[in-house]
Amino acid sequence: MNVPMPPWPVMAPACGSVFLREFTDQDVHLAFELGEDPYVPLIGSLPAHPDAEQALAWVRRQRGRLAEGTGFSFAVADAGTGKAVGTIGLWLRDLLVGRASVGYSVSPAHRRRGVASDALRALTTFAWGIPVLYRIEMYIEPWNAGSVRVAESAGYQRGRLLPRHREIGGVWRDMLLYSMKRP
């Protein structure tokens, strides 16, 4: 099945303190900020402590996700300034069976302010605009209480524990499955 995808600019809704937008080259600061976090480089394509070339390459990879068919990668932008404070993606690997997954990261300087919850609510609203999508899933390590709070505050339901589900940093990790079905 061929699912038509809209070209950029994709309009994603604003929610609370943030809106979702396409990455720009001016968002390299976010790559530097996230690259200093000990966990974020383990779960994505951003290298730890990126140099300027690596940071710009990461930003540009985010812009290419839709064209390559991987999904949507949005900069999470502060509603007041437009400055990128995080990233959130809707990954479509399983779209042919009606599922997508979500992943996000927020700059350490902007955590504990509701940014991730607002971004997840905005992304979820956007996702339901894809007609064939029935279920959105998130995979969260059991120790990550912050991400559990984000998922639950956005209306995602806890499913089962998936033992040794994903390799992170060379170690197979248990994951909690959170999901939401189309309303």
Side-chain angles (χ1 to χ4, degrees), residues 31-133:
F32 291 126
E33 293 166 16
L34 292 173
E36 294 304 314
D37 183 280
Y39 186 68
V40 172
L42 298 177
I43 59 171
S45 65
L46 178 66
H49 317 291
D51 61 29
E53 184 177 315
Q54 292 169 320
L56 185 58
W58 178 80
V59 165
R60 290 180 175 167
R61 277 194 305 277
Q62 302 320 299
R63 285 202 306 257
R65 301 296 187 206
L66 181 60
E68 69 189 22
T70 306
F72 297 91
S73 183
F74 291 103
V76 177
D78 178 271
T81 66
K83 180 181 176 184
V85 296
T87 179
I88 192 163
L90 181 68
W91 310 117
L92 304 176
R93 182 185 68 206
D94 295 322
L95 187 59
L96 293 177
V97 292
R99 288 192 315 264
S101 61
V102 172
Y104 65 87
S105 299
V106 174
S107 168
H110 298 279
R111 292 180 184 159
R112 301 191 189 290
R113 299 180 186 176
V115 168
S117 296
D118 286 349
L120 182 56
R121 281 190 282 279
L123 185 76
T124 302
T125 299
F126 169 79
W128 296 136
I130 301 172
V132 298
L133 186 59

Side-chain angles (χ1 to χ4, degrees), residues 5 23 27 63 97 112 126 138 176 178:
M5 293 296 172
F23 275 87
D27 296 327
R63 285 202 306 257
V97 292
R112 301 191 189 290
F126 169 79
M138 295 178 65
L176 293 171
Y178 274 78

Side-chain angles (χ1 to χ4, degrees), residues 37-40 42-43 111-112 139-149 158 161 166 168 171-176 178:
D37 183 280
Y39 186 68
V40 172
L42 298 177
I43 59 171
R111 292 180 184 159
R112 301 191 189 290
Y139 300 91
I140 302 171
E141 287 189 78
W143 61 262
N144 194 336
S147 279
V148 166
R149 282 190 302 274
R158 182 176 173 164
L161 177 68
R166 183 167 291 157
I168 298 175
V171 177
W172 283 94
R173 312 280 179 118
D174 296 348
M175 298 298 237
L176 293 171
Y178 274 78

